Amino acid sequence: MNKLRELLLKYPQTTLVLIISIVYLYFQLDMLLRTTGDEKTYVAQALEMQRDGHWFMQTLFDEPDYYKGPLHLIFLKIGFFLFGTNSMFATVYMNFFGLIAATLLLYKMFVKELDDKSWGLFYASSFSVSIGLYSHMFASQMEAELVIFYAIVMYLLHRLDYDNRLFINILLWAFIGMTGWFKSPAYSVFLGFSVLVYWVITLQIKERVLDKNTWISLFIGILIGFAAYIPILIYDGEVFIEKYIIKESMSKGANGVPWTEAFFPIFTYFVAPWMFAAVFSYLIALKTIFSMEARILNAKEMKLIKLAFSILLPTLAFFTIHPYRGDIYALPAVSATLLIAYLYWRAYVKQYEDVYVWMMRLSAIVLSIVPLVIVALYLHLSPMPEWWPEILFPLALFSFVFTLGFIFYESKNVARRGPVLLVVAFIPLFLTLGFTMRMIGKAEMLPAKEYIKKNNITKALGDYNLHKSYWNEYGSLNTWLGHDVVGLHTQEKLFTFLREGNSLIIPGENRYSEFKEKLPDDMKLEDFDVFIWKRWLTHGKGPNGESMFLKYWKSKDITDIQRNFYILKLKEPKE
């Protein structure tokens, strides 16, 4: 153990890169069970923009439409150029490389201020695998990118205390400006207020207001913030104002969700895997505030607390007060909430050693349920389908034993020797989770891939989308299947596509019934070869409210948790 501890501390940056690569890279290269939904829309938009040669004009269903800012779609277009339009990695590469950069910078910030490699490595690695971030790292959405940009802004704001060169000032405000290019310029406003709050509570405001570097860089940052939207306003301003500014930005009313929806996740399960220790640290922080108890944190630790508080406050306050709420809206500031927790943990770990030991062990107990469930599934449902990887059962078994054994042993050493060894504690568990998600995702795509191979299909598949559903998958299917798929949004295009002898995907029974009703006079259902594509249920309840998974557990009939998609092709083209 001592040699491993020395090795990790000798090569902290390499350790962080390895952890991120092990946890994410292999699984970002191939299909996984999808954890989010909006990515379907963004990938479809980016593919249409790629096809039409647009960089800023966003289209959906072949019509101009604007849901979010342009930067994520620009990243997607770059990914398609580098890795191809059928590559999963093309849709998430920015998450992987961005996370490496942000994690290394957070480590550098922590060590610069406190000169503590062990806790710096533990904090940075915990950020990189925090559950809120992890759940979005495999999705082509803006959440992971916002988390990364917030972390970089926090680092740059801290860096400015030591390095007030104009270049660092410009970098800070440039990143703040670009943060508004993802979902909304509101995020740039939040971070701008974060800078102001930090300068006020650290008594720097007068100095910064009188510094010309502040005003030069602020002006450049504002220009950068507007820069991505100016091209759209110039050549598609009317649609952009109607769809993005009025509909998406100004017309969001109350959605009936309580204020706690955005507030609590950022302090609880989003900061897992060490959630219980983090929550206990927040309770200590509240106790010291409201009881006026003397703090044991030193001036440097309090400076980082103020930094994290400043990054967190505007974003969290807005999404707690605003009537349209969601659990992921404050997620971008997770690096700040983690920093607060870990600073209190570091400061009070000796005073409350027994409590922290059991908080760490409680995390191990709760999260070890994941591999335990996989072991139970294997033992109960064997023999497993051919798509079940042989490595998964022994990996899950090892993960269960290792997670509990390692953390129960090492947790009692944190107060005396530091937490550095805990950076490897959950790696087997994340590998188990990654292989499980990959297996489930690949199993769903396997029948369609075999259909493509068996029928020697080289042309694009079509996806039935006459209803122009926001949740249609035709964009993402390009990367999930590793084959071109085009959306068909009008009857004319749909039946022309079929007459040319192409294959059509129809998503579900309702659309299949609708398709049969819309068949033109020169087509009958008997004219088609019909392939039933079994896919996973997206809703886990049956007609009577029973759990379909429990039904599958009892029956061992996998069709209990599947639904039908259809792939149709004319037996004889009608060109």
Side-chain angles (χ1 to χ4, degrees):
M1 288 292 191
N2 287 333
K3 287 186 177 180
L4 177 59
R5 183 179 284 107
E6 291 171 5
L7 190 65
L8 294 173
L9 291 173
K10 185 177 181 180
Y11 303 105
Q13 291 90 347
T14 303
T15 297
L16 290 170
V17 173
L18 282 174
I19 289 171
I20 293 170
S21 300
I22 291 169
V23 170
Y24 294 111
L25 182 57
Y26 177 68
F27 306 108
Q28 286 181 323
L29 295 172
D30 210 345
M31 178 63 197
L32 281 92
L33 175 69
R34 307 321 296 158
T35 56
T36 59
D38 287 0
E39 68 171 337
K40 303 170 187 175
T41 301
Y42 308 139
V43 175
Q45 283 186 292
L47 285 167
E48 290 187 15
M49 293 166 67
Q50 177 89 347
R51 177 197 66 197
D52 299 333
H54 296 151
W55 281 95
F56 291 94
M57 178 183 283
Q58 300 176 27
T59 62
L60 185 62
F61 315 135
D62 304 322
E63 299 171 357
D65 212 337
Y66 299 88
Y67 287 98
K68 306 296 179 189
L71 187 52
H72 179 67
L73 300 176
I74 291 171
F75 281 154
L76 282 173
K77 283 201 62 176
I78 294 171
F80 294 149
F81 173 77
L82 293 174
F83 307 106
T85 55
N86 299 139
S87 165
M88 280 285 295
F89 196 57
T91 66
V92 292
Y93 74 95
M94 69 292 278
N95 297 350
F96 176 72
F97 293 113
L99 180 60
I100 288 176
T103 302
L104 292 176
L105 291 177
L106 289 178
Y107 169 78
K108 184 177 180 181
M109 176 191 76
F110 198 102
V111 174
K112 170 70 175 177
E113 193 64 45
L114 300 179
D115 193 26
D116 188 336
K117 288 185 177 181
S118 181
W119 276 94
L121 187 57
F122 184 44
Y123 162 63
S125 65
S126 298
F127 162 76
S128 71
V129 297
S130 56
I131 295 301
L133 175 59
Y134 178 87
S135 63
H136 289 86
M137 279 294 291
F138 305 102
S140 191
Q141 294 190 190
M142 291 89 170
E143 280 72 27
E145 294 157 329
L146 282 171
V147 169
I148 290 163
F149 269 58
Y150 265 61
I152 293 172
V153 167
M154 185 163 71
Y155 162 80
L156 289 169
L157 183 55
H158 176 263
R159 171 77 178 267
L160 211 59
D161 289 342
Y162 298 93
D163 186 353
N164 193 39
R165 287 177 296 160
L166 179 60
F167 173 68
I168 302 300
N169 278 269
I170 291 173
L171 267 184
L172 169 66
W173 289 103
F175 269 93
I176 291 174
M178 287 190 294
T179 304
W181 292 8
F182 288 111
K183 284 190 171 185
S184 165
Y187 286 94
S188 293
V189 177
F190 301 152
L191 287 175
F193 273 108
S194 291
V195 174
L196 180 62
V197 170
Y198 181 65
W199 286 346
V200 169
I201 63 179
T202 56
L203 306 179
Q204 297 184 59
I205 188 67
K206 181 178 179 181
E207 174 190 348
R208 295 297 179 181
V209 167
L210 296 175
D211 187 350
K212 66 178 181 180
N213 285 353
T214 300
W215 295 102
I216 293 171
S217 54
L218 175 60
F219 178 71
I220 293 172
I222 292 172
L223 288 180
I224 290 172
F226 280 109
Y229 295 96
I230 291 173
I232 309 171
L233 285 167
I234 290 174
Y235 58 73
D236 202 19
E238 185 176 341
V239 176
F240 178 73
I241 291 170
E242 176 192 350
K243 297 285 189 178
Y244 181 75
I245 296 180
I246 296 176
K247 180 183 175 183
E248 287 295 314
S249 301
M250 307 299 293
S251 301
K252 295 276 190 180
N255 60 357
V257 173
W259 67 271
T260 54
E261 186 75 7
F263 188 89
F264 280 109
I266 196 70
F267 294 104
T268 53
Y269 55 88
F270 279 173
V271 299
W274 302 105
M275 178 184 77
F276 297 105
V279 169
F280 183 68
S281 296
Y282 298 135
L283 293 176
I284 292 174
L286 290 174
K287 180 175 179 286
T288 59
I289 292 170
F290 291 110
S291 68
M292 302 303 292
E293 177 182 313
R295 297 186 184 92
I296 65 174
L297 280 78
N298 61 37
K300 290 189 173 184
E301 290 168 330
M302 285 306 302
K303 178 183 173 183
L304 288 180
I305 293 285
K306 291 174 182 178
L307 174 67
F309 173 78
S310 302
I311 294 295
L312 173 65
L313 179 63
T315 303
L316 183 61
F318 180 85
F319 287 117
T320 301
I321 296 169
H322 194 279
Y324 192 89
R325 304 181 179 107
D327 60 345
I328 62 171
Y329 289 174
L331 175 61
V334 71
S335 58
T337 52
L338 273 169
L339 182 57
I340 294 170
Y342 280 48
L343 287 168
Y344 275 92
W345 186 353
R346 176 178 179 268
Y348 285 88
V349 66
K350 293 182 180 179
Q351 183 174 335
Y352 296 103
E353 181 175 3
D354 290 342
V355 179
Y356 272 116
V357 165
W358 280 104
M359 291 299 99
M360 287 182 271
R361 291 175 176 178
L362 185 57
S363 289
I365 292 168
V366 171
L367 289 175
S368 65
I369 293 173
V370 173
L372 186 62
V373 167
I374 295 166
V375 169
L377 283 172
Y378 180 86
L379 294 176
H380 178 71
L381 299 173
S382 291
M384 305 307 289
E386 61 181 11
W387 41 260
W388 179 284
E390 293 182 3
I391 192 177
L392 187 55
F393 175 71
L395 178 61
L397 196 59
F398 172 77
S399 175
F400 175 73
V401 174
F402 178 84
T403 301
L404 287 174
F406 186 83
I407 293 174
F408 265 68
Y409 173 80
E410 189 57 30
S411 57
K412 65 181 184 292
N413 295 322
V414 171
R416 290 175 290 108
R417 298 183 179 181
V420 65
L421 285 182
L422 293 181
V423 304
V424 303
F426 286 109
I427 288 179
L429 187 143
F430 279 112
L431 284 173
T432 302
L433 187 57
F435 274 108
T436 303
M437 293 169 63
R438 179 178 180 269
M439 169 193 70
I440 297 172
K442 286 181 72 66
E444 185 178 40
M445 294 298 120
L446 187 61
K449 287 187 173 185
E450 289 178 347
Y451 172 87
I452 292 169
K453 183 178 180 181
K454 181 179 178 180
N455 291 276
N456 195 28
I457 295 174
T458 56
K459 291 198 223 177
L461 297 171
D463 195 66
Y464 182 94
N465 190 31
L466 300 186
H467 48 299
K468 297 185 178 180
S469 168
Y470 180 86
W471 304 106
N472 188 269
E473 296 177 332
Y474 75 91
S476 292
L477 284 170
N478 282 264
T479 62
W480 299 351
L481 293 175
H483 190 90
D484 290 341
V485 179
V486 296
L488 300 169
H489 318 301
T490 66
Q491 284 188 223
E492 181 183 359
K493 288 185 177 180
L494 172 68
F495 292 112
T496 298
F497 184 84
L498 284 170
R499 287 188 180 97
E500 292 172 350
N502 296 305
S503 296
L504 173 70
I505 300 170
I506 300 180
E509 299 289 355
N510 291 339
R511 300 306 171 195
Y512 187 49
S513 298
E514 182 182 279
F515 169 79
K516 288 186 283 187
E517 292 175 1
K518 292 181 181 295
L519 281 172
D521 294 338
D522 65 334
M523 289 185 185
K524 297 178 182 178
L525 191 60
E526 294 76 20
D527 297 334
F528 292 90
D529 286 320
V530 180
F531 174 77
I532 299 177
W533 176 12
K534 293 289 186 180
R535 297 192 63 182
W536 304 122
L537 289 174
T538 52
H539 301 284
K541 298 289 186 181
N544 299 320
E546 74 276 19
S547 167
M548 298 306 293
F549 184 80
L550 286 179
K551 185 179 179 182
Y552 166 53
W553 177 267
K554 295 173 183 177
S555 69
K556 299 186 181 182
D557 181 358
I558 202 166
T559 61
D560 286 338
I561 54 172
Q562 290 180 320
R563 56 186 170 140
N564 290 341
F565 273 41
Y566 296 86
I567 305 179
L568 284 74
K569 183 180 181 181
L570 281 170
K571 296 174 183 176
E572 296 292 337
K574 297 178 180 290
E575 293 185 78

